[in-house]
Amino acid sequence: MRNLSTLKPNSYKEGQYSSVRLVSLVVIIILQTLGFSLLGSEAEDPSSFKELDRWYEVFLSGSKVGHAHCTMKLEGEDVVSQSIFNMKMNRAGISITMSALEKTRETRAGKIKSFSGEIKMAGVPIIKKGWIEGQEIIVKEKQFLRETEKRYPLDPEGRMTWGLMKLLQENGFQEKGHELETKIYSADFGMASPTKAKIKSLGQKIIKIGGEDVNSYKSEITLFTKMGKMKTINWLDEDGFAIRTKMQMGGIPIEIKQSTELEAQSRSDQTNFDFLFQTLLFLDEEIPDGAQSVRFNVKLNNGQVTPIFHQTRNQKITPLDEKSFIVDVRSELWGKKVNSGQKIKAIGREYREANIMIDSEDPLIRNLAKNAAQGSKNMLDLSQNLYRFAQKYIHHKNFNVGFASATETAKSREGDCTEHAVFLAALGRVHGIPTRVANGLVFMESFGDQKNVMGFHMWTEFHLNGKWHSLDSAMGKMGAHADRITLSVSSLEQDSLLDIGIKLSEIIGNINVQVEKVSLRK
C-alpha cells in the first residue's frame, strides 16, 4: 500500500489533478439516492401515522466518513420528511467537508406540495426548491448569485418521500418475491420527469446492528436514471423503517447503518480513508508528451462498459467483452480544419448560451473576455488568446474552491482544473464560440512522489472550423493529446452536473487501465 501522505501535488507542473470536485459531486448524488431508502415505510394503519427520527452512520470502503439524520413528521395535515447528510474525508491529506439536505412536504394522501434541496461542496451551496401549481412543477435553482426558474408538466404518477412509503405500506414489504414499479421525483435527479423505480422484497433476514442480532426485511430498490441503473439494498425493521442500506459507487462500497445520535456524530475515520487515493490509477509505464497515439486496455471490475465512454474522431472504443475494451486515442494538432466533404453538424443552443456554471452574460466575464481578445486576427487566434489569458488569470492553483461558476472564479482567481475549464468556456461563449467541458482520465508523469499516474481531470473544448478542439488551460495543452481518455462532454446546462456524477460513479474505484502501445510523432 502506498503512503497516502505522499500523494500531494507539489505544483501544477506535476499534473493539474482535480478529481476532488467531481468526486464530491458523485458522493453527494449517491447519498441523495440513498435518502430514498433510509426512511422506509410505515406498516401501521394509515390513519395512525408514526413519526420518524433516526440517526445513521455513513461508511465508505468500511471507513466511517459521516452521518445522516432522517425525520418524518406531521405538520397539520402535511407529512414533512427531511434527510441530512454530513461527510468529512481526506483527499491527499487535506480534509474536505460535504453536506446534503433534502426536504419534502406532501399531503397525507401522498401528493407532492413542495420540496427543497441544498448541496454544499467545500462550503459552496447549490440550492433547489420547488412547488406544485396546478398541473405544473415550478423549480428554482440558485448557485452563487444566479437563479433560474423552470416549469415542467406534472406526472400524476410521480411520487416523493412519503408518497413512495405510503405505496410500500399499501402493497406490503415483508412478503418475499413481491415486486412493485413506480415513479420517483427527486430535486437532485431533475424534475423534468420522474425516475422509474423498481422495488423487490427479498424476505426476512437476521442482521447485526450495534453487535446485536436484529430481525429485518430485505428489499432492493433500482432507479432507472437517464444515465443508467442505480441500485440500493435495504434492510427494514418491523415498522418498515430502514436500519441498514448498502450500495456500490463503482468499486467503492457505501453502507449506512442505524445508530444512536452520539454514535452517529462521533469522529469519522478520516485517517483511514482518502478519497483521492481511491480515484488514482497507477500505470506500469510512461506516456511520453510527444505521443502520436496510445492504445489503452480498459477493464471494469463490475458492470458493463457501454455506453460509459465517449467516442470522438480522436478516440475509438472497441469492446472486447461486457467488461473490457480497447481505447485508441490519437493526438491532433490545434486548429486542424475539417477534411473536404465532411458534413458539419449543427451545434445546439446549450453550447452557446449562459447557464448557472458557465455564466457568460455576467458583466465581469464579458469585460475580461473583451480584454483577452485584444489583437486577435481571426477565430483561431482569438481562441488561443482566451486560452492563454485563462492560464495566467487563475494564478492560485489549489483545491480550496468548490465547483465554482465562471464568475466566482473570475472574482477569486483560484481553483483547479474544473475552474479553469468552466472559466475558459465562458470566455469563449462571450465571443459567440460554442463551448463545452470534457472530463476524463489524464496521464501525469508525477504526482507527489508517485510516477506514471492517471487521475480524473476536466478541460475545455471550443467548436471551430466544424470540429470540437481541446484547450486544457490547467495543464497548458492545446489540441487533442493522446495522454487522456475522455469519459463525457457537457454543456453544463441544468442537470448536466448530475450526468457527469452518475457516469463517474460507475468508474471510481472500478476501473483498471493498462497502456498496450504508444506511437510517437515522427
Side-chain angles (χ1 to χ4, degrees), residues 41-59:
S41 63
E42 186 185 356
E44 303 291 336
D45 185 331
S47 63
S48 59
F49 181 86
K50 184 172 183 178
E51 292 193 344
L52 169 73
D53 189 331
R54 289 194 177 180
W55 291 83
Y56 300 86
E57 295 177 288
V58 181
F59 298 84

Side-chain angles (χ1 to χ4, degrees), residues 400-465:
N400 294 336
V401 185
F403 202 88
S405 69
T407 298
E408 285 300 310
T409 299
K411 293 176 180 178
S412 68
R413 302 186 69 175
E414 68 175 326
D416 58 24
C417 75
T418 56
E419 282 70 49
H420 282 77
V422 169
F423 180 64
L424 179 55
L427 296 180
R429 290 190 190 185
V430 169
H431 293 283
I433 302 172
T435 67
R436 67 188 186 188
V437 298
N439 74 88
L441 296 163
V442 67
F443 173 80
M444 295 173 284
E445 182 180 351
S446 63
F447 187 82
D449 65 350
Q450 304 299 318
K451 301 292 183 182
N452 304 330
V453 177
M454 291 194 84
F456 288 96
H457 187 56
M458 183 177 280
W459 60 96
T460 316
E461 292 186 351
F462 279 19
H463 196 267
L464 304 163
N465 297 326

